[in-house]
Amino acid sequence: MNSSAKRGDETLIRRMAPPPLLTGACLAFWGWQTGHPVLALFCALVIESASVSRSRLDLKDKDFARTADFCTLLLAGTAVWAATTVPFPDSLFTIATLLPLAFFPLAAVFRHSTARALDALVLLRVLGRKAGRPPGTGALEINPVYVFCFLCVFSASVANTRSPWFYPSLFALVVWGLAPARSKRTPFPVWMLLVCVAGALGYAGQSGLNRLQIYLDASGFFWFDRLLDAERDPYRNLTAIGEVGALKQNGRILFRVKPIKGRGIPLLLREASYDSYGPSTWFASGAAFSHAAPPDDPMGEWKLDPRAKADSLLLVARPLKDGQGLLPLPSGAASLTRLPAASVMQNRLGAVKVEGGPGLAVFQAHYRMDRALADPPTERDSVVPEVEAAAVTKLCKELSLVSLSPRETVERLRRFFLENFTYSLVLGKPGRNLSALEDFLYHHRTGHCEYFATATVLLLRAAGVPARYVTGYSASEFSPLGGWMVVRQRHAHAWAMAHVDGHWYEVDTTPPSWIETEERAAPLWEIVQDTLSFFQHALGQIRWGTRTEEGVGRFIPWLLPPVLFAAVFRLLAKRKKSEGKGFTAPEEHRPAPPGQGMDSPLFLLEQDLAGQGVVRLPGETFHVFFSRLARERVLSFEEAEETRRLVGHHYRFRYDPLGLSREEQADFQAGVEKQRAALKTALGREDRALDSVCHKSVPIDEPVGYTCASRRPPRPT
């Protein structure tokens, strides 16, 4: 095939309309996967009605460009809404699933128009200007409906529900869309066979990736989401004890805290406690939640322990998925204030849960710094499971813990783990016939916080000290963005709680080096993620009215709709005015088509001056050029005033959509000719002659824009 025929085929492919009902099928596929079937059905009916409707809209490129700008505004509004209501990075997936809605107006307008194709640079006018040509010249024509179908398929893939019918449906849509592009030289059976082979290879590829992920998980690349998951289970905690491989670290910021009064850093924040241990799993027995007494004022005090007297204060900013979740609090939390929620609940082990709260809860936690608050110990707080009893009892005797007081037992265990153990995220394989915990205590003596916390709880119990297993976070990192302490997923932590002298106390035996170990593993691009998280936090404060400082911030959400409406109205009105749409220009005015104005008479005057050695510098406007000539006395005062008037006519001639009237055009032409004749006569005199060298270049010691007036004798007065 020759090149001209090939270009003709490519143009045909770009211009052809999509197959019947393909757009509606893509919308139905999107609605099925994203859970918006009614909305998808409505959009499909609007677009496919163009197939039966005989009326069409006669639209120009500028109308499509305006529609594309409106779609851009819809996309920007969707992004702002998702960023302020959905936690990052889930907000990115939300935006991706809503792309068809943002670009639906453009697809619908195009289907109901007379246009067969659309210049791509009409939609990207900035690129059109950079390419050196105005949009609409037809160099790259596309059918935007095909682009819309691709967006529907892409968004549906992002929201994949993992249905067994997903891939067959996707394959059918692809075949449906590619069928009209089949070359007539290729028989349909051969073409279909090749397409089926490609589909089979694609299915095998995605199945292989799924199997690879399963293999990596089974080979020891353990994803540490069970400990780092923000939505922790208050009744059951599955640990990574006994797993082999390197634990995955995640630097995503979960929430922020700011100590107002009391303890500095690091600060342990409890989310849940457990009292029963099984193989690699902790359980909370009898840990049903009960409602705390609601305050009289919605921003009043939720009392968790009415008998406790708080001596410290912590400000917490915690995103709540669907308005509910466990609250990370100091173990001695006695009450909560400034927490707008429908209910606050707690269990006997100290976990606190909120329901009916805002998307971002910014509240104050009042707590005791010297002890943890929870119900008194029960028999379960002293039980050592049989599978670990032998190893734990043996080590308890070696350390002589039974003969010590509870407080001395706690201190000896602290020193024992600090002096003899190291922190590591790399999990080794236990020895033969040894449990993972026994191997940790007697052989490897290295592990992460779950090993240390579990071993401490069981050793305390073997020594006669009631103890519980606690999970939460360690707040130790200060962020200059906003002055908050940020708590990341990798700051998830586990420690013990011991009942000593009638009170519960926190016992953290994990070596302090664990914080530095995990910080060193932080990626270099984490600062970018932190910046995005900070802006999301700021927008969340505005969205949910949870700003901690007084000011006008709480009124900003009410200002966004009118501001957005005003921006759209301003944009459309400005283009209507600039394009002259909606009114008829007076007959005496000449319209200014695009590109007109290059025949302005003032360019002739500039050429005459250049021929005499007076050159307009690069980037110098006519107004600045003639003002400089007046300062250098190349022009007289009267000539300078007349030239300024002509420059005004020039600008209107070039840029005003209405142009100049016939009388103004005649005056402009006559004025320029008069100036040309006067300057030609004046420049021919000796006292107005220029040094022939001066206009060639500018001396090094003279400023840019300076000609050679100093080398020319002053004009006689």
Side-chain angles (χ1 to χ4, degrees):
M1 178 183 293
N2 57 36
S3 60
S4 61
K6 184 176 181 180
R7 287 194 299 270
D9 286 348
E10 292 174 351
T11 303
L12 178 61
I13 292 175
R14 290 197 302 267
R15 288 177 174 269
M16 66 183 179
L21 302 179
L22 174 63
T23 310
C26 291
L27 279 167
F29 181 63
W30 169 78
W32 168 42
Q33 290 296 315
T34 58
H36 304 298
V38 177
L39 187 59
L41 178 61
F42 170 77
C43 295
L45 290 176
V46 171
I47 288 185
E48 294 299 341
S49 63
S51 302
V52 297
S53 175
R54 295 184 177 181
S55 60
R56 288 290 185 270
L57 300 174
D58 187 11
L59 302 178
K60 307 299 182 183
D61 284 345
K62 58 186 178 183
D63 300 314
F64 288 114
R66 191 174 302 159
T67 306
D69 289 341
F70 177 71
C71 294
T72 303
L73 289 176
L74 284 180
L75 180 61
T78 303
V80 172
W81 170 79
T84 55
T85 57
V86 182
F88 182 85
D90 294 340
S91 56
L92 299 180
F93 292 96
T94 302
I95 296 172
T97 57
L98 296 179
L99 285 177
L101 291 182
F103 291 96
F104 169 75
L106 179 62
V109 168
F110 181 83
R111 281 298 305 271
H112 286 271
S113 70
T114 58
R116 296 179 58 196
L118 188 62
D119 184 1
L121 295 185
V122 169
L123 311 180
L124 302 172
R125 284 176 289 175
V126 174
L127 296 181
R129 289 193 291 268
K130 289 182 178 180
R133 66 174 185 86
T137 56
L140 178 62
E141 293 185 332
I142 62 172
N143 190 319
V145 178
Y146 270 118
V147 179
F148 180 74
C149 292
F150 169 78
L151 289 179
C152 291
V153 173
F154 171 76
S155 299
S157 302
V158 173
N160 184 3
T161 57
R162 300 186 182 277
S163 167
W165 292 101
F166 173 82
Y167 193 85
S169 302
L170 177 62
F171 178 74
L173 290 176
V174 172
V175 174
W176 196 346
L178 292 179
R182 179 180 63 87
S183 175
K184 301 302 181 181
R185 297 181 306 165
T186 304
F188 181 79
V190 176
W191 180 85
M192 194 64 194
L193 176 62
L194 295 176
V195 170
C196 291
V197 171
L201 292 176
Y203 183 80
Q206 64 95 18
S207 300
L209 290 176
N210 185 35
R211 291 178 179 274
L212 177 62
Q213 180 182 357
I214 297 174
Y215 169 76
L216 292 177
D217 289 342
S219 299
F221 291 89
F222 178 77
W223 296 85
F224 203 20
D225 290 337
R226 289 173 289 185
L227 176 62
L228 303 179
D229 191 3
E231 301 301 326
R232 202 183 306 274
D233 187 351
Y235 304 103
R236 178 174 178 267
N237 182 263
L238 179 62
T239 71
I241 294 177
E243 297 289 343
V244 179
L247 298 185
K248 179 180 179 294
Q249 295 298 291
N250 193 319
R252 183 168 68 96
I253 296 177
L254 298 180
F255 59 93
R256 289 168 166 82
V257 297
K258 184 180 295 185
I260 305 300
K261 177 184 177 183
R263 183 184 303 175
I265 59 176
L267 178 65
L268 297 178
L269 302 174
R270 175 179 63 184
E271 266 197 343
S273 300
Y274 308 89
D275 58 357
S276 300
Y277 182 68
S280 303
T281 306
W282 280 95
F283 300 91
S285 59
F289 282 86
S290 60
H291 291 270
D296 298 331
D297 183 0
M299 301 297 287
E301 182 179 23
W302 295 87
K303 294 185 178 180
L304 304 178
D305 190 340
R307 299 168 299 175
K309 295 182 179 180
D311 55 10
S312 302
L313 179 62
L314 181 70
L315 187 65
V316 182
R318 165 76 155 90
L320 298 174
K321 186 176 182 180
D322 299 328
Q324 60 184 356
L326 294 173
L327 297 182
L329 301 172
S331 297
S335 63
L336 308 175
T337 56
R338 304 184 66 175
L339 176 60
S343 65
V344 174
M345 297 172 285
Q346 59 181 333
N347 64 17
R348 68 177 188 86
L349 299 177
V352 178
K353 183 169 63 173
V354 64
E355 291 183 351
L360 176 64
V362 181
F363 60 94
Q364 295 176 339
H366 305 260
Y367 67 99
R368 290 201 60 163
M369 189 168 55
D370 59 341
R371 65 187 64 169
L373 299 178
D375 284 1
T378 64
E379 293 183 359
R380 292 184 177 272
D381 297 315
S382 300
V383 174
V384 178
E386 293 185 7
V387 66
E388 309 290 354
V392 170
T393 303
K394 176 182 176 182
L395 184 58
C396 182
K397 293 180 180 179
E398 292 177 0
L399 297 176
S400 303
L401 298 180
V402 179
S403 61
L404 301 177
S405 66
R407 192 173 297 274
E408 292 173 338
T409 299
V410 171
E411 293 303 320
R412 178 163 295 186
L413 283 177
R414 289 183 193 272
R415 292 196 307 270
F416 171 70
F417 285 109
L418 181 62
E419 297 172 358
N420 300 281
F421 289 76
T422 58
Y423 180 83
S424 176
L425 293 173
V426 180
L427 309 177
K429 186 177 181 180
R432 180 170 249 180
N433 299 326
L434 293 178
S435 68
L437 191 63
E438 183 179 1
D439 183 79
F440 165 74
L441 291 174
Y442 286 98
H443 298 283
H444 282 125
R445 293 203 166 185
T446 182
H448 52 77
C449 59
E450 291 178 324
Y451 280 93
F452 287 94
T454 300
T456 301
V457 171
L458 298 185
L459 285 170
L460 285 172
R461 291 181 176 183
V465 179
R468 291 173 181 170
Y469 180 86
V470 185
T471 59
Y473 303 91
S474 175
S476 58
E477 179 182 347
F478 177 81
S479 173
L481 297 176
W484 293 81
M485 294 173 61
V486 295
V487 180
R488 307 177 187 273
Q489 278 194 342
R490 66 167 176 262
H491 294 156
H493 196 40
W495 62 95
M497 207 163 58
H499 195 260
V500 179
D501 298 334
H503 299 287
W504 290 102
Y505 294 93
E506 294 173 336
V507 182
D508 186 9
T509 58
T510 303
S513 61
W514 78 272
I515 298 177
E516 299 179 1
T517 300
E518 298 195 354
E519 294 300 331
R520 285 196 298 267
L524 296 177
W525 59 85
E526 192 169 76
I527 182 63
V528 178
Q529 187 178 8
D530 291 354
T531 304
L532 294 176
S533 176
F534 170 74
F535 281 112
Q536 182 188 13
H537 170 75
L539 291 173
Q541 286 187 297
I542 297 174
R543 165 66 176 85
W544 298 104
T546 54
R547 295 178 63 88
T548 56
E549 65 275 4
E550 297 296 331
V552 299
R554 60 184 183 275
F555 300 108
I556 292 181
W558 301 98
L559 298 177
L560 289 179
V563 168
L564 182 61
F565 176 80
V568 175
F569 180 81
R570 175 79 174 176
L571 178 65
L572 298 180
K574 184 176 180 180
R575 291 188 175 171
K576 182 177 181 180
K577 180 179 179 181
S578 63
E579 296 167 355
K581 184 176 180 178
F583 61 89
T584 303
E587 185 178 355
E588 66 270 17
H589 285 83
R590 170 181 59 82
Q596 188 165 342
M598 294 304 296
D599 57 342
S600 172
L602 202 61
F603 289 120
L604 300 176
L605 180 59
E606 178 193 13
Q607 293 176 6
D608 291 346
L609 289 170
Q612 298 295 331
V614 183
V615 180
R616 185 160 67 108
L617 300 177
E620 192 176 36
T621 64
F622 274 120
H623 177 74
V624 176
F625 175 51
F626 288 117
S627 297
R628 176 167 61 82
L629 296 187
R631 291 195 307 271
E632 297 175 357
R633 305 183 66 182
V634 175
L635 298 177
S636 65
F637 177 80
E638 294 78 14
E639 292 170 344
E641 288 296 318
E642 176 62 12
T643 307
R644 291 192 184 95
R645 187 180 70 84
L646 296 177
V647 169
H649 281 324
H650 168 77
Y651 287 153
R652 288 184 57 199
F653 184 82
R654 285 211 64 189
Y655 306 113
D656 192 341
L658 297 179
L660 298 176
S661 64
R662 292 190 179 93
E663 293 77 13
E664 290 172 331
Q665 291 183 46
D667 178 65
F668 184 27
Q669 184 73 33
V672 171
E673 292 299 331
K674 182 179 178 181
Q675 286 295 313
R676 292 179 66 193
L679 286 173
K680 186 177 298 183
T681 302
L683 287 172
R685 299 201 307 264
E686 183 177 353
D687 59 329
R688 299 278 293 272
L690 296 175
D691 190 334
S692 60
V693 180
C694 296
H695 74 276
K696 299 296 183 180
S697 61
V698 178
I700 296 178
D701 57 345
E702 292 180 1
V704 176
Y706 185 79
T707 59
C708 30
S710 61
R711 304 181 184 183
R712 185 176 59 248
R715 175 181 176 141
T717 58

